[in-house]
Amino acid sequence: MATGSSNDDLDKQATDDQGGSAGKPAAGEVEGNSYHPLGNPGERHWQASTIEDPSLDKRDNLYFAAIEMTRMPMVMTDANAPDNPIVFVNRAFLDLTGYEEDQVLNRNCRFLQGPDTDPDAVAEMRAAIAEMRAVSVDILNYKADGTPFWNAVFMGPVFDRDGNPLYWFSSQVDITQRRASEGAFRQAQKMEAVGQLAAGMAHDFNNLLQVMSGNLEMAAGMAQDHPQLLRLIGNAQKAAKKGSRLTQQLLSFARKQRLDPHRINLNTLLVQFSEMLVRTLGSRVEVRLDLMPGLPHCLLDATHMEMALLNVLINARDAMPEGGTITVGTCIISDAQRLAAHGLPPGSYVALYVVDQGAGMPAEVLRRATEPFFTTKAPGTGLGLAMVHGFAQQSHGRLEIDSQPGRGTTVRMLFPPAGEADWPTQRMQAPGVVTSAARRAGQRILLVEDSDDVRQIAQDSLEAMGYEVLAADSGEEALGLLERRGPVDLLFTDVIMPGGINGLVLAERARQHQPGLPVLLATGVIDASLQEGASASSMHILGKPYRRGELAERVRAVLDGKAE
């Protein structure tokens, strides 16, 4: 509950009565929210009726005794006294706020307000008091020690038998945990929506990169005798590779990049990676390792783990422009309450942490630290911590960040140990042993790709390798070609295609025509469900954008796997 008066004299009198300085709010109160609880006294006046003063000792009154006994925080204020002062609080209110009774009696409830209290919520309560009606408001209040808490306040007037106001009554509930849960849920929904958008963008961008990379690779082959032209093509290829890395960051944030997890020990990874870290962070930064002995192994993609660690360390370095010490360490975390807050099942988790001595992050920056494209640095992608967050989630772990202004930042990545639970490994079946790199003339490949440019590049590349290619722009057309042209040696299809037949559906239907048909799926968006479905059906995946050499190697491997 938080109310006030717009009458300066009443405010001054109330403050003087509390022993404060004239014209200044008491400790914890906010200026500018004062108003008379019953409207403008010059326009409207309420006269309290004479009652047989039950308020002389309210604890002897049955009504107040009942309020005192309830476990819900409750407050009574005098509707007829200037500035609507508190005349009664129960023990539950004192337990909630941390105040003592003599610190709250005869004060207006505005002392509960603080710097982040919403003025609109205060205005809503002000209007209800002016109109003498009940109101229910969620408002951010502050405890005696300055701790903010969300307070669900129900406030209403108490009248005597003649309809004259006696008191304002309010009941209060601490809903801080509920608000935090609702906020976390909304944030998760927002991040999931952004992740879906990022994955869709990455799919389309990968198709563009595939066309660019394929044409540049062919152009480079034709320009061997033109050094200047080769240099220009090389510059364009470097830009295409940077674009490919950007899409991988987007997919990492969206938790749809392809991971190849193995049993690794984070202590070993840190020791092997430390020399590169020292070179990357520069001479102004000292890196210290604090490794827990006997650390369990984890199932992680080592390359993506190193990328995630590097992103965190670069952020730590940038937080210390004058230099300093960064501590990188490992430990075990098994606090059930802490794990539950992250949505993790109980157990022991391996934590890799990075501690810097930088300026730290204020609360508003900390809340947005893992949002994609949010950055406090110079303009860039802003995908560093978003990528780390996505990698940790896809690895069945969590990212945890603690930071305060002036106290530095601690970033932890929590991962389940290998073997403690039946965690999916997301590993693909091996594509088969490559028995020959030679071209096999006469082998027929059914190529399915809805993008005309990507399909043309792939067809030209496969035909240059000596394969016969049947090209289709949809699943429906591909099935028609199978019926008309007979068996093929390999189905090479995009996964995401318009219409009712995507790559996985097409592969299943094609195998009904031709049992045991080898399948190679091409996609830039690889999530766990796709990997598990492909692995279960003995299909193989080629990530976009791919180089011509990668295409030749993977096609050869799948075909030779069939021969074996």
Side-chain angles (χ1 to χ4, degrees), residues 305 308-309 312 350-352 388 391 398-399 411-415:
M305 181 69 250
L309 176 60
V312 174
V350 178
L352 187 156
V388 178
F391 167 71
R398 293 295 185 270
L399 177 67
V411 178
R412 301 179 192 87
M413 289 178 272
L414 281 62
F415 302 105

Side-chain angles (χ1 to χ4, degrees), residues 401-563:
I401 306 175
D402 293 331
S403 186
Q404 292 184 15
R407 296 187 179 182
T409 299
T410 300
V411 178
R412 301 179 192 87
M413 289 178 272
L414 281 62
F415 302 105
E420 282 208 358
D422 186 20
W423 300 98
T425 62
Q426 303 186 27
R427 292 188 61 186
M428 294 296 300
Q429 292 183 354
V433 179
V434 179
T435 58
S436 172
R439 299 174 182 173
R440 299 209 175 167
Q443 287 187 305
R444 178 185 287 181
I445 297 175
L446 176 57
L447 168 65
V448 190
E449 169 63 62
D450 62 289
S451 169
D452 294 340
D453 293 333
V454 175
R455 186 175 65 254
Q456 188 60 59
I457 287 290
Q459 183 173 354
D460 290 345
S461 297
L462 291 170
E463 288 177 343
M465 298 171 197
Y467 298 106
E468 179 185 353
V469 179
L470 303 181
D473 62 6
S474 66
E476 292 83 357
E477 183 181 357
L479 292 174
L481 283 174
L482 273 180
E483 291 180 356
R484 295 193 306 271
R485 302 289 294 273
V488 295
D489 296 285
L490 172 69
L491 171 62
F492 178 39
T493 177
D494 190 19
V495 173
I496 301 175
M497 295 187 293
I501 302 180
N502 62 24
L504 289 171
V505 174
L506 171 61
E508 294 297 333
R509 294 190 183 179
R511 283 178 171 176
Q512 293 174 6
H513 288 275
Q514 187 178 333
L517 175 64
V519 176
L520 179 60
L521 303 170
T523 182
V525 181
I526 307 174
D527 58 18
S529 61
L530 171 61
Q531 294 193 66
E532 290 169 5
S535 180
S537 302
S538 299
M539 301 177 194
H540 308 283
I541 296 179
L542 176 62
K544 289 182 178 178
Y546 50 81
R547 294 180 293 105
R548 190 174 181 181
E550 291 174 325
L551 174 62
E553 181 181 349
R554 186 58 63 86
V555 168
R556 189 70 265 146
V558 175
L559 285 171
D560 287 344
K562 174 203 170 187

Side-chain angles (χ1 to χ4, degrees), residues 33-368:
N33 289 334
S34 306
Y35 65 97
H36 192 279
L38 303 178
N40 188 327
E43 297 177 358
R44 187 179 185 187
H45 179 68
W46 292 79
Q47 179 64 49
S49 63
T50 301
I51 60 175
E52 291 185 358
D53 203 357
S55 62
L56 290 176
D57 188 350
K58 296 181 173 55
R59 299 185 192 280
D60 292 336
N61 181 282
L62 180 62
Y63 181 75
F64 286 97
I67 295 177
E68 171 66 22
M69 291 299 296
T70 183
R71 300 178 67 179
M72 176 177 287
M74 293 187 178
V75 177
M76 299 289 285
T77 64
D78 190 340
N80 299 291
D83 209 29
N84 202 17
I86 295 174
V87 295
F88 180 82
V89 295
N90 66 356
R91 171 51 55 184
F93 174 84
L94 300 176
D95 292 340
L96 169 65
T97 62
Y99 285 96
E100 298 297 332
E101 188 176 44
D102 59 0
Q103 294 178 302
V104 301
L105 291 180
N106 299 316
R107 296 181 69 183
N108 183 280
C109 292
R110 78 173 71 88
F111 71 85
L112 293 172
Q113 297 173 15
D116 291 328
T117 300
D118 185 1
D120 291 337
V122 176
E124 187 175 353
M125 300 174 75
R126 176 190 306 171
I129 290 177
E131 298 166 13
M132 295 302 295
R133 59 176 173 82
V135 66
S136 179
V137 176
D138 289 354
I139 188 169
L140 186 67
N141 283 158
Y142 290 78
K143 299 183 181 183
D145 62 1
T147 302
F149 70 100
W150 278 100
N151 197 358
V153 177
F154 172 79
M155 182 178 71
V158 178
F159 300 94
D160 65 13
R161 294 179 180 177
D162 298 326
N164 298 310
L166 293 176
Y167 303 106
W168 278 92
F169 162 83
S170 72
S171 63
Q172 311 183 39
V173 179
D174 185 347
I175 58 169
T176 304
Q177 188 61 43
R178 190 193 79 189
R179 294 281 298 212
S181 298
E182 291 173 350
F185 179 68
R186 287 193 297 269
Q187 178 72 1
Q189 285 184 313
K190 179 176 71 172
M191 297 296 274
E192 182 65 25
V194 175
Q196 293 293 336
L197 174 63
M201 291 171 56
H203 172 263
D204 292 338
F205 194 39
N206 272 330
N207 276 346
L208 296 176
L209 288 172
Q210 185 63 61
V211 176
M212 294 166 57
S213 300
N215 281 289
L216 287 170
E217 197 169 0
M218 289 185 176
M222 300 175 184
Q224 295 299 320
D225 297 330
H226 302 277
Q228 186 175 4
L229 184 56
L230 275 176
R231 181 177 59 82
L232 297 175
I233 293 173
N235 291 338
Q237 287 176 319
K238 289 179 183 178
K241 287 181 180 178
K242 289 182 180 179
S244 179
R245 284 196 294 271
L246 176 58
T247 61
Q248 287 304 309
Q249 287 183 308
L250 283 169
L251 292 170
S252 182
F253 160 71
R255 306 192 298 279
K256 293 183 182 295
Q257 88 275 34
R258 183 182 183 181
L259 298 182
D260 185 20
H262 298 271
R263 287 175 59 90
I264 66 171
N265 186 284
L266 288 177
N267 285 348
T268 303
L269 182 141
L270 288 173
V271 171
Q272 294 175 346
F273 200 44
S274 58
E275 185 177 345
M276 176 184 173
L277 295 180
V278 170
R279 290 199 305 268
T280 301
L281 298 179
S283 58
R284 290 189 175 185
V285 175
E286 178 185 356
V287 179
R288 293 180 180 174
L289 296 182
D290 181 18
L291 307 181
M292 176 182 177
L295 200 69
H297 286 69
C298 296
L299 283 171
L300 296 172
D301 184 307
T303 301
H304 283 87
M305 181 69 250
E306 291 173 355
M307 289 174 56
L309 176 60
L310 196 58
N311 271 289
V312 174
L313 287 167
I314 288 174
N315 279 347
R317 178 200 65 189
D318 293 346
M320 303 185 301
E322 302 303 320
T325 300
I326 296 176
T327 302
V328 183
T330 55
C331 64
I332 295 293
I333 292 178
S334 56
D335 182 354
Q337 185 174 2
R338 182 174 176 182
L339 297 173
H342 289 300
L344 292 172
S348 297
Y349 287 76
V350 178
L352 187 156
Y353 61 87
V354 176
V355 183
D356 68 54
Q357 300 172 329
M361 291 182 278
E364 59 273 16
V365 174
L366 181 60
R367 283 194 297 267
R368 303 186 60 191

